[in-house]
Amino acid sequence: MTYERELDATGFSEVIVERRDVSVPGSITRMTVCLARPSTPGNHPVVLVGPELWGVNEDARTVARRLAAHGHVAVVPNLYHRADPDSARGFPRSDANRTHAFNLVARLTRDEVEADLRAAAAHARRHAGAADRTGMLGFSLGGHIAYFAATRLDLAAVAVYYPGWLTTPGTALSRPGPLVDQTHRIAAAGTALALFYAEHDHVIDAAQVAEVRRALADSGVRHEVTVHPGAAHAFFFPGHTGYDKVAADASWERVVALFRTELRGGTG
């Protein structure tokens, strides 16, 4: 367990960051999670974090710390735990690791990912003093996972960054059909959804964004879709190709506002 000081909107806020192993019903392996929470006791909402293709790396852990600084219990689950026992800390960005990670993605199933997310949230409630109200935030593959989670879990709010493969079958959880076909299930749960796209995304073209917009509108989902001008895929994380500080800062401000309103009732 480590105590860290993380900058939030009002200054510095102390957060506790832990690495825990969680039992998942139906799985013979235990799932490692990064859990970050405020150091002060309270009825803090849960925010699940879906990392990029690279798994629970430092970028994902940094997001968890930032969420904790805003009063949430953030949980980043290692969704690769069944297929690769050495994946608990994620992977450095490289062509070889990209190939390996895509092999792991191909082994994900909808039911197993749902079980993992439910186990991660339940662990936070039992062992980190978290409240019942739950949200999710995801990036790229994790955005794809977050969109899926909104169709299966009782989530108050979901923030989705540049989610690939929502409209095309055959990759990640768009098996057997594209995830966008499940959008009506988001409306049934009453989830508030915010999606952030990049104008010059090499993975997601304008036609895909338009298809997701139509599905959300036709299904009656409470949503907002932002396309950041001039930005490229993976614009959120500093130090990597494609980082766009303007888009990253503006989108993060919207994420904080979404979770403040939907998870904390406009307080905190």
Side-chain angles (χ1 to χ4, degrees), residues 161 194 196 224 226 228 249-259:
Y161 277 80
F196 306 103
E224 60 180 83
T226 304
H228 289 277
D249 289 352
S251 60
W252 182 253
E253 183 177 340
R254 291 301 307 137
V255 169
V256 171
L258 174 71
F259 290 161

Side-chain angles (χ1 to χ4, degrees), residues 18 33 42 87 105 115 130 134 136 141 151 162 201-202 218 246 250-251 260:
E18 305 170 79
V33 304
S87 60
V105 169
T134 306
M136 186 164 183
L141 170 66
T151 72
Y162 34 83
D201 195 314
H202 69 285
D218 290 348
V246 172
S251 60
R260 181 191 307 119

Side-chain angles (χ1 to χ4, degrees), residues 67-211:
L67 288 167
H70 283 280
H72 307 296
V73 177
V75 191
V76 194
N78 174 28
L79 301 178
Y80 300 147
H81 66 97
R82 293 175 181 82
D84 182 356
D86 297 323
S87 60
R89 293 188 178 275
F91 310 107
R93 297 169 187 260
S94 71
D95 289 341
N97 285 335
R98 182 185 301 275
T99 299
H100 177 57
F102 269 115
N103 288 334
L104 298 178
V105 169
R107 298 175 65 175
L108 297 176
T109 71
R110 291 182 179 184
D111 289 346
E112 288 178 346
V113 169
E114 179 183 355
D116 289 348
L117 296 176
R118 288 186 182 279
H123 182 87
R125 295 188 191 103
R126 286 195 305 268
H127 301 290
D132 288 338
R133 206 151 178 81
T134 306
M136 186 164 183
L137 166 65
F139 302 86
S140 195
L141 170 66
H144 177 97
I145 298 293
Y147 198 96
F148 162 75
T151 72
R152 292 280 188 105
L153 277 63
D154 183 14
L155 300 176
V158 176
V160 179
Y161 277 80
Y162 34 83
W165 319 304
L166 292 183
T167 62
T168 52
T171 303
L173 300 184
S174 276
R175 293 176 282 127
L179 273 182
V180 73
D181 291 349
Q182 303 297 310
T183 302
H184 61 281
R185 300 179 68 159
I186 303 175
T191 306
L193 199 67
L195 294 97
F196 306 103
Y197 289 101
E199 180 185 18
H200 302 305
D201 195 314
H202 69 285
V203 178
I204 308 161
D205 61 24
Q208 293 178 59
V209 177
E211 186 173 349

Side-chain angles (χ1 to χ4, degrees), residues 17-36:
V17 182
E18 305 170 79
R19 185 172 178 241
R20 296 184 176 184
D21 290 330
V22 176
S23 295
V24 180
S27 174
I28 62 173
T29 60
R30 290 171 66 82
M31 175 179 65
T32 301
V33 304
C34 170
L35 191 149

